[in-house]
Amino acid sequence: MSTLKRSLGTCYYPEHWPREIWEDDAARMVAAGLTWVRIGEFAWSRLEPRAGDYQFEWLDDAIAVLGNAGLKVVLGTPTATPPRWVLDKHPDMLAVDAQGNQRGFGSRRHYCFSHSGFRDEAAQIVGKLAKRYGNNPHVAAWQTDNEYSCHDTTLSYSDASREAFQGWLRARYPGQGNNGDIDALNTAWGNVFWAMDYDDFGQIGLPNLTVTEPNPAHALAFRQFSSDQVVAFNRMQVDIIRDHSDMPITHNYMGRTTDFDHFAVGADLDFASWDSYPLGFLEDRVGASPEQQKKYARQGDPDFQAFHHDLYRAVGHGRWWVIEQQPGPVNWAPYNPAPLPGMVRLWTWEAFAHGAEAVCYFRWRQAPFAQEQLHAGLLRPDSADAPALAEARQVADEIADAPDVAPGQAPVALIFDYRADFAWTVQPHGEGLSYFGLTFDFYRALRSLGLSVDILPAETTDFSGYKLVLAPGLMEMSSGLKNALAASDAACVLGPRSGARGPDMLIPVPLPPAISGLDVTVSFVESLRPDSPISLQNGGNFIGYREHIEGNAEVIEQDENGAPALMREGNLHYLAGWPDHAAARRIFGALCTQAGLKIHDLPSGVRCRDTGSERFWFNYDTTSHKIGGVTLPPISVLRETL
Ligand code: GAL
């Protein structure tokens, strides 16, 4: 694989600023060492202030100013912010929440993916933009919409959504003509239970406002449908852009958004990008302990950014950016502290160490008006430098001198599957249990051992080169994946909940995990109170979730009662519970050592990541650390040639 260049950029809103300062802004961006400028993604009301009244001259001008200064433009489609007239024209285009309340105008993302009138308006404006700028020499990439799913906007319980869901179900359970086979659906979902049988697809509602929980098969189908609606909306935009432009297309994903399948969206795009707000995410997305949150309040969680870097590298087929990087305090988290000096530089280098092609800071200048008044930029509202500008400039100087990145395969792989997250969300079986939480715990354990990790989709068929593959929590597991894991040379760890459900949320028989070559059967499962973990004889605990397993595979670990906790046959292992950090480190560490991998015992703030040619060390702590022969000063980045 060829090497990668690294570059920096920023997010800019020319429509927020007087025309007189655009040239100066552009010149200052270039002087700061920035290459990219992303614009346009919320500008619909200025591009089409009234239906059909297109006003592109200002955008022509802005692109020319930025491009002539030497910047490359990423042009966003403005569909995340339909102007008021679009809503007046289509009053029922708003999404409806699970309580049945229609969401309102006055912020953003106020649309339902299933509303065909809105979809047509979106297609129209995207088409106009693509046609006008498809061959513009300064437009070097496109972004579709903005942060699908942000503000809880994937699932909509609207009439449009219900009708589209019924159509989706007809296609999923096909019958004569276009009618679908309602008996097939009743059987697949087990609707005989509680007399939930339907006579017709038109009777099927959305799984909200039921007296007690809806049928999990119904709830899962609705999540899969809602994800497909996001994929279809994005694909519509991509197809339109590709008719007019050869430039690469991306979408900016968020941290810990799991309610649509990013791999499916990513399949239509040229590269992935994501919006990294390490301090914004810390309080309510990471799931870390209060002590950890306090310790890293000004640094961000040391594993959360890296997890998403690795995830989105996979979603982008190896190509990905951080298209929005937090540069200072944000406005939207429960608490909004400023980063410690040096953190903006550290976050940027960490993205590059994980293979990012570009890191763009959000935003160029802090806006003195509207919702994000308290959100820092690279410039203050009075245009003076904000603290992050100097750090961005420092990174720009450093990357100019640094060698290009040589991508390399990590020794360890972790499989991540959004459909598994849907199934866990529908049926967590215990309070606070989530698929994201489980996989992130596994990831954190691997990182604390000093390992670089590749995150892979569940469709992966070739695991060559990996020494250890972790496939936790994949509620539905294809036979293709089971076979690929069994055939690989890597030590593979499945469980808990691997292969626990079929496509319609039914418990399969033979009972899970049902893998030939691994004589293990999960006989029953239980979830655990937070204050009642089950200890393992060799150290650490099962927390939250545990399974009772039987079979002829070798018992490697037992719990406090002597029941099997980890069983093995050949290269396949089954882990019968959710291990705490100590147990996960011990079990994965032993497997790595057996596989000949060198492991470390890293403090919580120290992490490393290998590219094909370099090792990067990151110290998120305010104290220095010595690891082997390496001394890491507080808040630091260190590069070693491998
Ligand atoms: C992102 C979003 C941006 C901006 C930013 C503020 O989620 O894409 O438009 O709102 O957050 O931190």
Side-chain angles (χ1 to χ4, degrees), residues 491-526:
C492 299
V493 181
L494 312 170
R497 297 193 104 179
S498 296
R501 294 292 180 281
D504 291 297
M505 270 319 265
L506 265 58
I507 297 175
V509 176
L511 291 176
I515 299 190
S516 62
L518 177 63
D519 190 347
V520 170
T521 297
V522 177
S523 51
F524 71 98
V525 303
E526 56 177 339

Side-chain angles (χ1 to χ4, degrees), residues 42 108 146-147 252 254 275 277 324 332 362 372 375:
F42 300 124
R108 60 178 174 184
N146 192 79
E147 289 184 342
N252 58 332
M254 251 298 215
D275 299 344
Y277 291 91
E324 294 182 20
W332 45 264
F362 183 94
E372 294 178 354
H375 194 299

Side-chain angles (χ1 to χ4, degrees), residues 471 477 482-483 485-487 492-495 498-499 510-522 547 549-556 566-576:
M477 245 182 125
K482 290 178 179 177
N483 295 339
L485 292 173
C492 299
V493 181
L494 312 170
S498 296
L511 291 176
I515 299 190
S516 62
L518 177 63
D519 190 347
V520 170
T521 297
V522 177
E547 301 175 327
I549 52 175
E550 58 190 35
N552 290 318
E554 182 188 355
V555 176
I556 311 268
L566 178 68
M567 292 175 79
R568 178 183 77 92
E569 189 167 345
N571 67 321
L572 299 176
H573 302 68
Y574 195 89
L575 182 60

Side-chain angles (χ1 to χ4, degrees), residues 33-99:
L34 308 185
T35 303
W36 295 94
V37 58
R38 187 197 64 178
I39 63 172
E41 81 276 12
F42 300 124
W44 195 344
S45 71
R46 299 302 166 104
L47 294 170
E48 190 184 7
R50 282 156 297 275
D53 172 9
Y54 296 103
Q55 301 197 1
F56 288 121
E57 294 70 23
W58 70 266
L59 186 57
D60 300 346
D61 190 19
I63 291 173
V65 167
L66 296 164
N68 290 336
L71 294 158
K72 296 192 213 180
V73 172
V74 181
L75 186 55
T77 67
T79 50
T81 48
R84 183 66 226 198
W85 65 260
V86 179
L87 176 59
D88 292 341
K89 199 167 155 191
H90 307 281
D92 56 349
M93 63 168 270
L94 296 168
V96 173
D97 72 15
Q99 283 67 49

